[in-house]
Amino acid sequence: MAEAGLIYHTDWMHDDQPVPIKVKSGKLISVPYSIELNDSALFRAHYEVEYFAAICKAQFDQLYDEGAQSGRVMCIALHPFLIGQPHRIKYLAEILDHIMSHEGVWQTTADEIAEYYLAHYYDQAVAHAMKFNAGVVDSPDPADAGGSQGRGHGR
């Protein structure tokens, strides 16, 4: 992927911070993706839109608290043919109003997250991983390993 010029992928459902991916040449990161906050998965399983709104807000609240020390990414996987239905769209507005009512939130895209991470944290995270893999570091410190630090980036 990196050899083709891509800088990120979103295929791994993992932590809430970007991580570098070891590639033969170039740089590649994984930007967090969520199956939990995915309208397709939940609506197919017949969960109500009110539940979707509640878990999105609860997820945000937890990540916002954690993000005070080290920024977090909250992916909400949306499909216009599902959440965009007239009977559901007001819940998306409710979710976004809740999120954007908090100070320091960066409403952004995966492209922008990847570019920011590459510019500010990629090299630091790779260096930390190399030390950890060599046994120089006793345990990983997520704040040292990268991720979008502080309010305003990665939230």
Side-chain angles (χ1 to χ4, degrees):
M1 291 174 68
E3 291 171 349
L6 300 174
I7 61 170
Y8 74 93
H9 80 87
T10 57
D11 289 340
W12 292 347
M13 290 156 270
H14 60 84
D15 203 6
D16 40 41
Q17 292 184 323
V19 294
I21 300 171
K22 186 176 180 179
V23 293
K24 290 182 181 180
S25 66
K27 294 180 178 182
L28 186 68
I29 66 167
S30 177
V31 173
Y33 181 80
S34 175
I35 196 69
E36 296 288 324
L37 303 182
N38 186 317
D39 62 354
S40 180
L42 289 172
F43 295 159
R44 269 196 322 241
H46 305 291
Y47 284 96
E48 296 296 327
V49 69
E50 294 88 355
Y51 175 73
F52 182 68
I55 65 170
C56 285
K57 291 187 279 184
Q59 176 97 346
F60 171 80
D61 291 343
Q62 180 65 39
L63 293 178
Y64 188 80
D65 288 344
E66 293 174 7
Q69 298 300 317
S70 179
R72 299 294 189 256
V73 174
M74 179 176 160
C75 171
I76 306 175
L78 302 173
H79 302 84
F81 67 93
L82 293 170
I83 197 69
Q85 293 298 313
H87 64 284
R88 293 183 179 135
I89 196 70
K90 71 179 181 180
Y91 294 96
L92 177 57
E94 179 184 310
I95 294 165
L96 295 176
D97 287 346
H98 177 76
I99 292 169
M100 297 311 296
S101 71
H102 291 75
E103 184 179 319
V105 172
W106 183 29
Q107 184 179 8
T108 189
T109 65
D111 287 342
E112 292 171 329
I113 292 168
E115 290 167 0
Y116 186 86
Y117 183 84
L118 286 169
H120 296 93
Y121 298 104
Y122 180 88
D123 293 332
Q124 177 186 356
V126 169
H128 178 79
M130 288 172 46
K131 285 181 191 176
F132 182 75
N133 290 335
V136 176
V137 177
D138 292 331
S139 63
D141 180 354
D144 290 338
S148 300
Q149 306 293 317
R151 296 192 189 271
H153 292 290
R155 281 204 179 208

